[in-house]
Amino acid sequence: MSWHEKSLSDLSRALLAKEISSVELTQYFLGRMAKAKGLNAYLDVQEDFSLRDASLADQKIAKGEAGPLTGIPIAHKDVFVTKDWKSTAASKMLENYLSPFDARVVELLGGNGAGMVCLGKTNMDEFAMGSSNENSAYGPALNPWNTNYVSGGSSGGSAVAVAAGLAPIATGTDTGGSIRQPAAFCGITGIKPTYGIVSRYGMIAYASSLDQAGPMGKSAKDCALILNAMAGHDPRDSTSLHKDRVDYQSLIGQNWSATSDLPLHGLRIGVPEEYFSQGLQEEVRHSVQEALKKLEDLGATCISVSLPKTKLSIPVYYVLAPAEASSNLSRYDGVRYGYRAKEYKDLNQMYERSRSEGLGPEVKRRILIGTYVLSQGYYDAYYLQAQKIRRIIAEDFQAAFTQCDVLMGPVAPQAAWQVGGKSQDPVEMYLEDIYTLSPNLAGLPAMSVPCGISKQGLPIGLQIIGNYFSEAKMLQIADQYQQNSSWHQLAPPSSGVQI
Ligand code: GLN
């Protein structure tokens, strides 16, 4: 097995046994990254900084001070600010922007925390707005399974990096599906935890009440290991939760019920009927149903449930997220951060030109929508109404969770589409988010697990939605599924990109 195919615990074992040093492992991944530049997975790579961090990790290992992640390389979505790598959020507005500090997640995982080695910053939709990575100001990250297809968004670069073996693990963020959907499109595993578990400090804000960071990796087990290092209260994030430390790995490998030999005996899976209605591609339906059958073979019971407000999640999200974005992005005014227009007559023209030239079309569209729904006279009709329905959507989930332990369905209505296939019609693209938006609106944890391959050879994802703080159980279920299936082990063919 090559180094990029190994699990995090195997990498850790090899590092501790001195079969490979962190510097060598980092060089190995940097080498693969250089060969796969055509995938456009990374926006900034600084080999010197990566190798510096790797050699510090090697020193820790030599002194016997290593933890379970020390010396393992990781890629960070370019939405997390970093001191040594540029932090652009894939926007021209922040081209060449260097942050004076590291995001909390980067700090927790890096040299002064878990001791991981940053390989670089991954591509994304500009300010995390998008479902295909095509809104990146630096061109889309391409799907390694077939480079004519999108990688998904917004954390497409992280998904591509893990799927193509350009990083053993990566971070992502999910406001309405941005970890789960690219994970599904690229055939990897990703989890968006309960809102408030992972600090948003230093995460470039899109829609603050929905944004949440999480891991993207090859398996549920790898994600659990990283989540252990990412989660925790942070006084610098006012929405960060005060929770006792949870060991997200604690249930990995354990049976659901202690009294049965069947690994998932007693597990009740709620299958929302609205997640299988019109618009769901036949092959996706088939793969998800096969996965549910497999889980039943492992002892679980499927129960049909209803989430009646599912359809409303699209209008609600596309009012609330732009509203928050219009406020969050007002800081990019040409004065305090990043891009400033070269020519202007006065202050107003400076603002106008800097924002017109620095921001991309989708970002501008959302700022316009957000400003509109927040303006006097429209606020009650749109923003307030959307907030009320958001609450009802959250209540729908609680009603469903009285009947089941977790919910399962597809991540997206179809597998990845061709590059350019939907970029002309924003609403068509928004509709692709139908199954991923409502967990964010409710603040619930949700994950994506590979469960099939389409006729075109593209991965399909199974979505698991849990109740608040049920990450450890979700990872346990996903791990049991992965112990008994092999979808997560399939690797993309190199499809035109030489590795
Ligand atoms: N696709 C959704 C959007 O365009 C979700 C993005 C995200 O989760 N960051 O807003």
Side-chain angles (χ1 to χ4, degrees):
M1 198 188 263
S2 308
W3 292 110
H4 63 275
E5 292 164 336
K6 287 188 193 291
S7 69
L8 297 189
S9 47
D10 283 347
L11 289 179
S12 175
R13 223 169 286 134
L15 285 164
L16 294 179
K18 314 254 167 39
E19 284 164 29
I20 190 166
S21 69
S22 176
V23 166
E24 286 161 349
L25 191 59
T26 304
Q27 276 164 339
Y28 173 84
F29 280 101
L30 291 170
R32 287 183 65 83
M33 286 153 62
K35 285 190 195 141
K37 277 203 176 127
L39 291 172
N40 207 17
Y42 284 88
L43 293 178
D44 195 24
V45 177
Q46 304 283 344
E47 300 203 347
D48 292 353
F49 288 132
S50 299
L51 294 170
R52 172 203 64 190
D53 291 354
S55 108
L56 288 173
D58 281 332
Q59 287 168 28
K60 271 196 196 163
I61 295 170
K63 283 193 241 157
E65 293 167 1
L69 294 168
T70 307
I72 299 178
I74 185 167
H76 289 301
K77 182 177 181 180
D78 200 23
V79 78
F80 296 98
V81 298
T82 39
K83 274 191 297 213
D84 296 331
W85 286 261
K86 286 181 215 161
S87 304
T88 72
S91 181
K92 184 179 168 195
M93 184 53 92
L94 291 173
E95 197 174 17
N96 299 321
Y97 176 68
L98 276 175
S99 162
F101 65 96
D102 281 333
R104 180 65 179 151
V105 163
V106 173
E107 199 175 74
L108 283 170
L109 293 169
N112 294 323
M116 299 186 83
V117 175
C118 175
L119 288 170
K121 305 291 288 293
T122 58
N123 204 351
M124 54 184 280
D125 284 294
E126 184 176 3
F127 288 109
M129 299 177 191
S131 311
S132 67
N133 221 291
E134 291 162 292
N135 295 335
S136 167
Y138 307 101
L142 301 174
N143 197 315
W145 292 81
N146 184 333
T147 51
N148 295 323
Y149 286 76
V150 300
S151 55
S154 64
S155 315
S158 287
V160 173
V162 173
L166 313 179
I169 186 96
T171 53
T173 59
D174 192 311
T175 306
S178 279
I179 287 178
R180 289 160 284 157
Q181 191 251 29
F185 282 12
C186 294
I188 65 160
T189 306
I191 180 163
K192 175 205 100 69
T194 306
Y195 182 82
I197 279 190
V198 177
S199 169
R200 289 185 300 108
Y201 181 74
M203 232 171 81
I204 298 175
Y206 160 24
S208 312
S209 78
L210 301 156
D211 297 342
Q212 187 62 195
M216 302 174 77
K218 288 196 286 286
S219 66
K221 223 175 178 168
D222 282 2
C223 289
L225 191 56
I226 295 289
L227 192 55
N228 271 351
M230 285 174 85
H233 175 66
D234 180 2
R236 291 172 299 182
D237 170 1
S238 61
T239 58
S240 167
L241 294 168
H242 287 271
K243 288 277 295 171
D244 290 339
R245 274 227 153 267
V246 173
D247 178 2
Y248 295 102
Q249 274 185 297
S250 60
L251 301 175
I252 296 282
Q254 290 201 23
N255 283 2
W256 187 261
S257 143
T259 56
S260 171
D261 288 342
L262 278 174
L264 295 177
H265 178 78
L267 170 67
R268 297 166 305 159
I269 300 173
V271 184
E273 47 187 88
E274 292 78 5
Y275 279 47
F276 292 83
S277 60
Q278 214 193 351
L280 177 64
Q281 211 179 46
E282 210 34 59
E283 321 182 65
V284 177
R285 178 196 307 271
H286 177 77
S287 293
V288 170
Q289 275 167 350
E290 287 299 305
L292 293 174
K293 266 192 221 149
K294 180 94 215 174
L295 292 159
E296 282 180 329
D297 292 345
L298 299 175
T301 315
C302 289
I303 305 156
S304 175
V305 297
S306 177
L307 295 172
K309 297 290 181 289
T310 299
K311 258 196 178 155
L312 293 178
S313 64
I314 294 184
V316 167
Y317 174 89
Y318 280 100
V319 166
L320 295 179
E324 293 186 28
S326 71
S327 162
N328 274 328
L329 272 65
S330 65
R331 73 190 73 180
Y332 305 107
D333 55 7
V335 179
R336 287 170 287 182
Y337 296 91
Y339 184 81
R340 180 181 300 174
K342 300 280 165 299
E343 284 172 36
Y344 46 86
K345 281 202 311 277
D346 53 22
L347 184 64
N348 273 337
Q349 199 176 61
M350 195 267 285
Y351 289 151
E352 199 182 303
R353 292 206 173 161
S354 300
R355 287 170 71 80
S356 303
E357 293 165 22
L359 300 171
E362 183 60 27
V363 174
K364 284 183 200 155
R365 183 177 298 122
R366 296 196 190 192
I367 291 174
L368 287 174
I369 296 172
T371 314
Y372 181 82
V373 301
L374 288 175
S375 53
Q376 204 185 7
Y378 297 104
Y379 181 90
D380 289 359
Y382 295 107
Y383 183 76
L384 217 54
Q385 187 68 6
Q387 287 287 30
K388 288 179 188 163
I389 304 172
R390 178 179 188 173
R391 168 57 66 90
I392 298 172
I393 290 172
E395 286 167 1
D396 269 3
F397 277 110
Q398 289 315 306
F401 284 128
T402 60
Q403 302 169 60
C404 58
D405 303 299
V406 285
L407 294 161
M408 290 197 197
V411 173
Q414 55 173 292
W417 54 86
Q418 290 213 9
V419 175
K422 290 183 195 290
S423 44
Q424 298 315 312
D425 184 350
V427 175
E428 204 187 320
M429 188 93 89
Y430 300 166
L431 293 175
E432 292 299 317
D433 299 337
I434 177 81
Y435 307 132
T436 48
L437 301 176
S438 28
N440 298 72
L441 291 167
L444 293 167
M447 72 184 292
S448 174
V449 180
C451 73
I453 296 283
S454 75
K455 279 190 224 83
Q456 255 136 359
L458 295 161
I460 292 170
L462 167 75
Q463 181 168 209
I464 308 177
I465 305 170
N467 210 342
Y468 302 110
F469 313 119
S470 64
E471 289 81 2
K473 287 182 183 166
M474 293 161 66
L475 290 160
Q476 173 189 20
I477 298 164
D479 175 65
Q480 287 293 3
Y481 176 70
Q482 293 184 331
Q483 296 300 323
N484 292 283
S485 64
S486 55
W487 298 113
H488 65 295
Q489 286 164 341
L490 299 181
S494 49
S495 66
V497 176
Q498 176 225 345
I499 304 187

